[in-house]
Amino acid sequence: MSEQNLRIAQLYPVELGVTGDRGNVSALQARWERSSDGRTTEHVAVGRGDELPDDADIIVIGNGPLSAMRLVADDLRARSARLESLVAGGAPLLAVGGGAELLSEGVAPLEGERLQGLGLFPFRVSRTHERRVGYVVADASHGRLVGFEDHASEWTLSDDAEVYGTVTAGSGSFALGSGRGETVRRGAAYASNVQGPALPLNPQLTNTLLAAAAERRGLDFAPGAGAAELDRLADGAREAIISRAGKVFNSIGL
Amino acid sequence: MTTLSEPRPASAARSAGPRYIFPVLVGKLARFATRLRGGGGALPGYLTNKLAPSLLSTLANQFGYGVVFVLGSNGKTTTTHMISEILRAHGLNVFTNPTGANLPQGVTSALLADATLTGRVRADVAVLEVDEGYAAELADVLAPSVILSLNVQVDQLYRFYETERVADMMLEASSRASGHVVINRDDAYLSKIDEGAMRAPVSYFGVAPALVEASAHGLANAEDTRSGESAVFHEAFAEVTGADGRAVTAVVDGAEVGFTLPAPGMHYAADAAAALTVASRVLGDAFRGERASSGFATMAPAFGRGEVIPLREGADDEQVEFVMFKNGPSLQLNIDALSGSPERMLMAIDEGTPDVSWLYDVDLSSIEHVDVVTGEKAFQLALRLEHAGIPIDLVEPDMEKAVAHMRALDATSRGRQTWFVNYELMMIGRKILGHGDQEVARR
Ligand SMILES: [Zn+2]
């Protein structure tokens, strides 16, 4: 059993889990379990002070307010070397919102002290007065990345940062040429501001993460017929989003 | 009227009078005009405020039993309704803002509609649901005697982002209450109120710890990520001690009060404890448990909170129960309040709820089957249900077609379908069922 069992570690689900981040874990679980008979998953919640299992196959970290980021920052920094070796070794990771920002070089908030990041991804974050709220669509190497953005952050990428998506609707997280970009990639690790949550809405990315995890284990991964209903509903959701994208929701300027 | 504790003497009120006739009249005319166009709107209040900036304070100051503010992420409308009915059951004439107008201009419009041409109010007390973001500002104008803070839940992320900021807004407003501050002792943020920073004494309400533990997901209040610490315990002035479906028992200031809620749910029981605390503080010695119970008994369910409407016009055999949700906590608490999986179920969500990421934070496992998923975001909702392994018969973004499907199904054994809807689709659903001609629902 254990050979076919996928362990998904979610960091700080209580503190950094306010935007449906559990859904990214659910998408990985559903697609792995439905890819072949006998495949199982384990969702490992890693809170402050908890051990990150040595054999975690995929790491997920979600979004939360600045106070939550400050609350977990020391604990996360203590895992810096471990996470660096995992990502450098090609382990799949998805970080969203506040979680992604903590894995950057650092966050400059509008008020209070700068938050030192882990430097796992080569970008810096400035919190902004303006909020970016609405659907976001970006062209990416695995297909269109779609979802919802809701952040007041501007990312500044280092020269060596690998851009994942070119924004075609919505605001995105950083400047890209004369346009905008969304999501930074490093190997099989992704730092993103795409909510929705991202993985249920983006089977192409979920499959990519699962394939990377399978490969590290010497297994094959193909979504197969078991994913048909997930794909059909995701297609419907993506179509509806794409047809409405570009319409940016008003945020009340508070 | 029954025996009541002494209201503030009328002489304390700033004088109204002829100088307000023009502004009040303009406001009333503007209100009439916007009504004709089918709107509610903030224009009347805006106009009157421009013409007589002191009018609002003057109006508010005339309520003998003062002004009550109801703040909170979830449950403002329900609790405002509960407080009003309890006070009415004690013989008070209650003014409230009935159209969900909880922003400053909206409150002005509502007050104007009720005022006489010379700027006098007719009611004994005002119970107002107020948006957290404007509560302090509005408190400076309306000088509330009691400010109630219900809860801080992960909501309105796209408005405020930082949950603790919402808590701070409520506590900042609370410091302006002259008579009483009423606080949810089970809320991680609110329970840490600095009593010394308040002008008025603080009364707490809550749900007995054993009941919170027994409910599937507690009370769904936000985690305090600022301190990382859970709620600070306080003795409750009013505490829910028993809840069995809609039947609830609470202990208010040492005396037991039993009553029936308009809809089941731990969140409504907590709202009821809040309402009992406020009513008791407003009424003082005149508060009577039996009258409070009869107040709950006369409460008609608000739109989308336990209200039932016939599925087919002119036929009462099959009813639709509307359950409205606006965010993760309210959806979770409404699901937890179900007694078993609904026999026939429609779920609906549209663009009125911009971000639906939180659907994945809600435990849906007590739902066994959904007949139709509808609304502009039908596929996003269906995708969520599929991840939970919940079977769906039909995904149909068009609400009219979805309703036609529900009408074509065989009758249920209980004569009741359950429709979980967001606010906008509740209004559309009511209209399709032939109930769209009524007063705009309170949000
Ligand atoms: Zn069915």
Side-chain angles (χ1 to χ4, degrees):
Chain A
M1 148 188 165
S2 65
E3 192 185 307
Q4 298 290 326
N5 183 47
L6 192 79
R7 299 191 92 184
I8 303 156
Q10 185 186 10
L11 293 174
Y12 318 114
V14 174
E15 299 88 347
L16 298 178
V18 300
T19 48
D21 300 288
R22 177 70 175 76
N24 288 325
V25 176
S26 301
L28 292 164
Q29 289 182 294
R31 286 179 175 275
W32 181 261
E33 288 166 9
R34 296 181 193 193
S35 67
S36 168
D37 282 346
R39 287 201 161 166
T40 55
T41 60
E42 195 180 336
H43 173 210
V44 185
V46 181
R48 284 175 284 153
D50 294 345
E51 203 190 325
L52 175 63
D54 281 334
D55 56 353
D57 293 290
I58 302 184
I59 293 162
V60 172
I61 179 168
N63 194 16
L66 200 55
S67 59
M69 291 166 64
R70 291 193 191 282
L71 192 62
V72 304
D74 283 340
D75 188 90
L76 185 62
R77 280 192 287 261
R79 305 177 194 273
S80 188
R82 178 77 198 292
L83 289 168
E84 170 59 35
S85 80
L86 278 168
V87 170
L93 173 148
L94 175 71
V96 176
E101 297 188 354
L102 282 172
L103 299 184
S104 78
E105 284 155 8
V107 183
L110 292 170
E111 290 167 14
E113 257 178 75
R114 180 175 184 278
L115 203 50
Q116 180 65 40
L118 273 69
L120 223 62
F121 288 97
F123 67 90
R124 287 172 289 115
V125 179
S126 299
R127 286 295 176 92
T128 58
H129 284 283
E130 184 208 357
R131 293 200 65 71
R132 290 162 175 156
V133 184
Y135 288 129
V136 61
V137 181
D139 284 337
S141 49
H142 304 112
R144 262 182 179 166
L145 180 68
V146 312
F148 196 88
E149 60 183 348
D150 179 4
H151 58 93
S153 286
E154 179 67 13
W155 295 4
T156 304
L157 273 50
S158 305
D159 291 341
D160 54 343
E162 183 184 342
V163 172
Y164 182 62
T166 304
V167 172
T168 58
S171 300
S173 301
F174 48 86
L176 181 62
S178 59
R180 302 285 299 169
E182 176 51 59
T183 305
V184 172
R185 177 180 180 183
R186 182 180 162 201
Y190 300 82
S192 181
N193 262 323
V194 177
Q195 300 174 193
L199 294 187
L201 287 170
N202 292 281
Q204 76 288 357
L205 181 56
T206 315
N207 292 339
T208 303
L209 292 167
L210 289 171
E215 198 188 325
R216 282 166 60 81
R217 289 267 216 96
L219 298 170
D220 284 330
F221 173 80
E229 186 62 3
L230 290 168
D231 286 341
R232 183 182 80 88
L233 297 174
D235 278 350
R238 289 165 64 83
E239 261 173 49
I241 289 172
I242 290 164
S243 75
R244 288 185 179 83
K247 177 184 152 193
V248 176
F249 292 94
N250 286 323
S251 62
I252 296 178
L254 283 168
Chain B
M1 258 219 245
T2 46
T3 334
L4 295 163
S5 61
E6 276 304 295
R8 274 188 290 170
S11 59
R14 264 163 277 169
S15 63
R19 70 198 169 102
Y20 289 118
I21 290 179
F22 179 61
V24 172
L25 192 61
V26 168
K28 282 182 179 288
L29 284 171
R31 189 179 161 86
F32 179 66
T34 37
R35 281 236 159 145
L36 284 182
R37 291 206 320 262
L43 178 71
Y46 173 80
L47 283 176
T48 313
N49 260 358
K50 281 278 175 217
L51 293 167
S54 65
L55 175 61
L56 204 50
S57 298
T58 307
L59 289 176
N61 204 28
Q62 296 173 55
F63 294 103
Y65 286 82
V67 172
V68 175
F69 275 16
V70 179
L71 318 178
S73 303
N74 265 336
K76 282 196 283 281
T77 300
T78 303
T79 310
T80 298
H81 196 180
M82 287 175 176
I83 296 167
S84 301
E85 289 306 326
I86 298 172
L87 294 177
R88 284 181 185 127
H90 284 82
L92 290 195
N93 187 349
V94 179
F95 169 78
T96 185
N97 47 342
T99 51
N102 58 20
L103 302 178
Q105 302 293 0
V107 173
T108 321
S109 293
L111 268 169
L112 271 175
D114 201 57
T116 67
L117 276 184
T118 53
R120 294 194 179 279
V121 301
R122 293 175 249 239
D124 303 309
V125 62
V127 183
L128 305 171
E129 71 163 272
V130 175
D131 184 278
E132 299 74 61
Y134 299 90
E137 178 192 322
L138 205 53
D140 287 337
V141 181
L142 299 182
S145 50
V146 179
I147 298 184
L148 160 66
S149 294
L150 285 168
N151 47 46
V152 179
Q153 297 180 341
V154 176
D155 179 25
Q156 305 173 318
L157 280 179
Y158 71 103
R159 282 193 55 196
F160 298 117
Y161 201 58
E162 305 292 340
T163 312
E164 66 267 27
R165 202 167 147 194
V166 181
D168 289 344
M169 286 173 175
M170 293 185 205
L171 295 173
E172 175 64 30
S174 295
S175 69
R176 288 151 164 86
S178 58
H180 287 277
V181 173
V182 179
I183 291 290
N184 184 346
R185 68 109 190 260
D186 300 321
D187 185 281
Y189 281 113
L190 297 174
S191 67
K192 289 166 195 140
I193 183 172
D194 174 7
E195 293 184 17
M198 301 294 128
R199 279 168 68 195
V202 180
S203 305
Y204 298 91
F205 69 92
V207 175
L211 290 179
V212 178
E213 271 169 42
S215 84
H217 303 90
L219 294 163
N221 294 327
E223 298 282 335
D224 174 357
T225 50
R226 179 159 49 195
S227 70
E229 306 285 335
S230 51
V232 174
F233 186 81
H234 300 273
E235 287 299 331
F237 178 83
E239 183 181 56
V240 176
T241 51
D244 180 11
R246 294 167 58 207
V248 172
T249 315
V251 173
V252 184
D253 201 11
E256 197 169 273
V257 181
F259 53 93
T260 304
L261 293 171
M266 195 60 78
H267 51 321
Y268 293 128
D271 293 344
L276 288 162
T277 304
V278 169
S280 180
R281 289 311 194 190
V282 167
L283 292 159
D285 292 342
F287 176 83
R288 295 285 175 272
E290 324 80 73
R291 286 183 184 272
S293 304
S294 67
F296 282 105
T298 58
M299 259 187 89
F303 286 4
R305 298 164 186 88
E307 184 196 34
V308 294
I309 290 178
L311 177 64
R312 299 174 191 87
E313 274 181 273
D316 275 349
D317 53 327
E318 190 82 350
Q319 305 279 338
V320 173
E321 179 176 8
F322 279 93
V323 182
M324 188 184 85
F325 60 88
K326 60 172 188 173
N327 53 24
S330 68
L331 179 58
Q332 186 71 72
L333 291 165
N334 282 314
I335 285 174
D336 291 353
L338 290 171
S339 46
S341 181
E343 207 174 334
R344 292 244 186 276
M345 190 172 189
L346 172 148
M347 291 186 88
I349 193 160
D350 73 358
E351 296 292 339
T353 307
D355 181 15
V356 294
S357 300
W358 50 263
L359 283 171
Y360 289 82
D361 290 328
V362 177
D363 177 4
L364 304 169
S365 58
S366 57
I367 297 172
E368 287 169 5
H369 161 259
V370 178
D371 291 284
V372 186
V373 176
T374 186
E376 290 159 334
K377 298 203 181 199
F379 278 96
Q380 286 199 64
L381 178 53
L383 184 60
R384 166 65 186 114
L385 292 167
E386 177 64 20
H387 277 88
I390 298 166
I392 305 161
D393 286 355
L394 178 67
V395 183
E396 172 50 73
D398 185 325
M399 181 84 171
E400 295 240 16
K401 290 178 186 164
V403 171
H405 179 89
M406 293 303 280
R407 277 180 165 154
L409 296 171
D410 291 341
T412 55
S413 62
R414 288 179 59 231
R416 184 170 291 195
Q417 300 190 345
T418 306
W419 293 12
F420 270 69
V421 286
N422 70 343
Y423 175 82
E424 287 75 10
L425 288 175
M426 174 187 67
M427 298 310 289
I428 289 168
R430 290 178 56 88
K431 202 168 182 177
I432 295 170
L433 296 184
H435 284 250
D437 53 342
Q438 296 174 9
E439 189 193 4
V440 177
R442 298 198 298 175
R443 203 157 183 169

